[in-house]
Coordinates of all heavy atoms in Angstrom, one line a residue:
E8 N 48.4 -46.1 255.3 CA 48.0 -47.4 254.8 C 49.2 -48.4 255.0 O 48.9 -49.6 255.4 CB 47.7 -47.3 253.3 CG 46.4 -46.7 252.9 CD 45.1 -47.4 253.5 OE1 45.3 -48.5 254.2 OE2 44.1 -46.9 253.3
R9 N 50.3 -48.0 254.7 CA 51.5 -48.9 255.0 C 51.7 -49.2 256.5 O 51.9 -50.3 256.8 CB 52.8 -48.1 254.5 CG 54.0 -49.0 254.4 CD 55.1 -48.3 253.7 NE 56.4 -48.6 254.4 CZ 57.2 -47.7 254.9 NH1 57.0 -46.4 254.8 NH2 58.3 -48.1 255.6
A10 N 51.5 -48.2 257.3 CA 51.6 -48.4 258.8 C 50.5 -49.4 259.2 O 50.7 -50.3 260.0 CB 51.5 -47.1 259.5
A11 N 49.3 -49.2 258.7 CA 48.2 -50.1 259.1 C 48.5 -51.6 258.6 O 48.2 -52.5 259.4 CB 46.9 -49.6 258.5
A12 N 49.0 -51.7 257.4 CA 49.3 -53.1 257.0 C 50.5 -53.7 257.8 O 50.4 -54.9 258.2 CB 49.8 -53.0 255.5
L13 N 51.4 -52.9 258.3 CA 52.5 -53.4 259.1 C 51.9 -53.9 260.5 O 52.2 -55.0 260.9 CB 53.5 -52.3 259.4 CG 54.5 -52.0 258.3 CD1 55.3 -50.8 258.6 CD2 55.5 -53.2 258.1
L14 N 50.9 -53.1 261.1 CA 50.3 -53.4 262.2 C 49.5 -54.8 262.1 O 49.6 -55.6 263.0 CB 49.4 -52.3 262.8 CG 50.2 -51.1 263.3 CD1 49.2 -49.9 263.4 CD2 50.9 -51.4 264.7
R15 N 48.8 -54.8 261.0 CA 48.0 -56.0 260.8 C 48.9 -57.3 260.7 O 48.5 -58.4 261.0 CB 47.1 -55.9 259.6 CG 45.8 -55.1 259.9 CD 44.9 -55.2 258.7 NE 45.4 -54.7 257.4 CZ 45.2 -53.5 257.0 NH1 44.5 -52.6 257.7 NH2 45.8 -53.0 255.8
A16 N 50.1 -57.1 260.2 CA 51.1 -58.2 260.1 C 51.9 -58.4 261.3 O 52.9 -59.2 261.3 CB 52.0 -57.9 258.9
G17 N 51.5 -57.8 262.4 CA 52.2 -58.1 263.7 C 53.4 -57.2 263.9 O 54.2 -57.5 264.8
R18 N 53.6 -56.2 263.1 CA 54.8 -55.3 263.3 C 54.6 -54.1 264.2 O 53.4 -53.9 264.5 CB 55.3 -54.9 261.9 CG 55.4 -56.0 260.9 CD 56.7 -56.8 261.0 NE 57.8 -56.1 260.5 CZ 58.2 -56.0 259.3 NH1 57.5 -56.6 258.3 NH2 59.3 -55.3 259.0
L19 N 55.6 -53.4 264.5 CA 55.5 -52.3 265.4 C 55.6 -51.0 264.7 O 56.5 -50.8 263.9 CB 56.6 -52.3 266.5 CG 56.8 -53.6 267.3 CD1 57.8 -53.4 268.4 CD2 55.4 -54.1 267.8
V20 N 54.7 -50.0 265.0 CA 54.7 -48.7 264.4 C 54.6 -47.6 265.5 O 53.7 -47.8 266.4 CB 53.4 -48.6 263.5 CG1 53.3 -47.1 262.9 CG2 53.5 -49.5 262.3
V21 N 55.5 -46.7 265.4 CA 55.4 -45.5 266.4 C 54.5 -44.5 265.8 O 54.7 -44.2 264.6 CB 56.8 -45.0 266.7 CG1 56.8 -43.7 267.5 CG2 57.7 -46.0 267.4
F22 N 53.6 -44.0 266.6 CA 52.7 -43.0 266.1 C 52.5 -41.9 267.1 O 52.7 -42.0 268.3 CB 51.3 -43.6 265.8 CG 50.6 -44.2 266.9 CD1 49.6 -43.5 267.7 CD2 50.8 -45.5 267.3 CE1 49.0 -44.1 268.8 CE2 50.2 -46.1 268.4 CZ 49.2 -45.4 269.1
P23 N 52.2 -40.6 266.5 CA 52.0 -39.5 267.4 C 50.7 -39.5 268.2 O 49.7 -40.0 267.5 CB 52.1 -38.3 266.5 CG 51.6 -38.8 265.2 CD 52.0 -40.3 265.1
T24 N 50.6 -39.1 269.4 CA 49.3 -38.8 270.0 C 49.4 -37.4 270.6 O 50.5 -36.8 270.5 CB 49.0 -39.8 271.2 OG1 49.6 -39.4 272.4 CG2 49.3 -41.2 270.9
E25 N 48.4 -36.8 271.1 CA 48.5 -35.5 271.6 C 49.3 -35.4 272.9 O 49.7 -34.3 273.3 CB 47.0 -34.9 271.8 CG 46.3 -35.5 273.0 CD 45.7 -36.9 272.8 OE1 46.2 -37.6 271.9 OE2 44.7 -37.3 273.5

Side-chain angles (χ1 to χ4, degrees):
E8 288 297 0
R9 193 173 137 233
L13 285 169
L14 288 165
R15 283 193 296 267
R18 312 278 289 274
L19 306 189
V20 173
V21 173
F22 61 94
T24 82
E25 74 281 23

